[in-house]
Amino acid sequence: MTKFQEKVLNCIKIIPKGRVTTYNEVAKAIKMLGSARAVGGVLKTNSQYSLYPCYRVIRSNREIGGYNRGVAEKKRLLIKDGIKILKNKVLNFENIFFELSKKI
DNA sequence: ACGACGGCCCTCG
DNA sequence: ACGAGGGCCGTCG
């Protein structure tokens, strides 16, 4: 486990149910602006789903983004959290967006 | 040390 | 609205 991986995982676990954040925001939160893609790389390797809710991290354009168990599963989990989705895009994004970088 | 690749992001037509 | 292209940064070979 590298430092980078630790930082990413440790910070996404505070995202509350019913809220989402973005890959870019996670990068910003760990002071690695520009590493959004690398953040996705870490989340891809996550297997501790109950500990690290990686499905609550989406793309900055409101699209769901990818998921290591399939986009359909990611969508299902988000809906279970009470989040509305239309055409792979999250609705009401402004209100459910979790500003991770300000909560650290 | 290096190159390729990605759960991305932004700009420009 | 939508796609193409380039940039970015950590990982793994």
Side-chain angles (χ1 to χ4, degrees):
Chain A
M1 184 72 90
T2 69
K3 280 291 180 191
F4 184 74
Q5 292 170 325
E6 280 178 26
K7 285 184 191 172
V8 170
L9 294 174
N10 270 312
C11 91
I12 66 159
K13 67 182 179 188
I14 70 172
I15 307 170
K17 173 178 178 173
R19 309 287 297 280
V20 297
T21 192
T22 68
Y23 296 100
N24 212 25
E25 182 67 15
V26 173
K28 190 171 160 190
I30 62 176
K31 313 228 187 309
M32 287 277 142
L33 196 53
S35 320
R37 205 160 185 178
V39 168
V42 172
L43 268 37
K44 178 167 59 172
T45 69
N46 174 44
S47 56
Q48 312 222 47
Y49 307 104
S50 54
L51 192 53
Y52 307 112
C54 49
Y55 68 91
R56 291 179 184 148
V57 184
I58 67 174
R59 295 183 54 157
S60 59
N61 63 359
R62 308 175 177 207
E63 282 179 1
I64 301 304
Y67 192 57
N68 58 10
R69 284 185 292 177
V71 178
E73 176 66 4
K74 184 168 185 175
K75 199 186 293 191
R76 192 183 71 75
L77 291 165
L78 288 169
I79 290 171
K80 194 172 135 199
D81 275 4
I83 291 170
K84 307 289 190 215
I85 299 171
L86 183 62
K87 303 264 185 194
N88 275 354
K89 289 211 174 199
V90 164
L91 301 181
N92 200 24
F93 181 75
E94 295 79 4
N95 294 307
I96 64 173
F97 177 63
F98 188 69
E99 289 190 286
L100 203 50
S101 61
K102 298 189 180 172
K103 312 285 183 181
I104 300 295

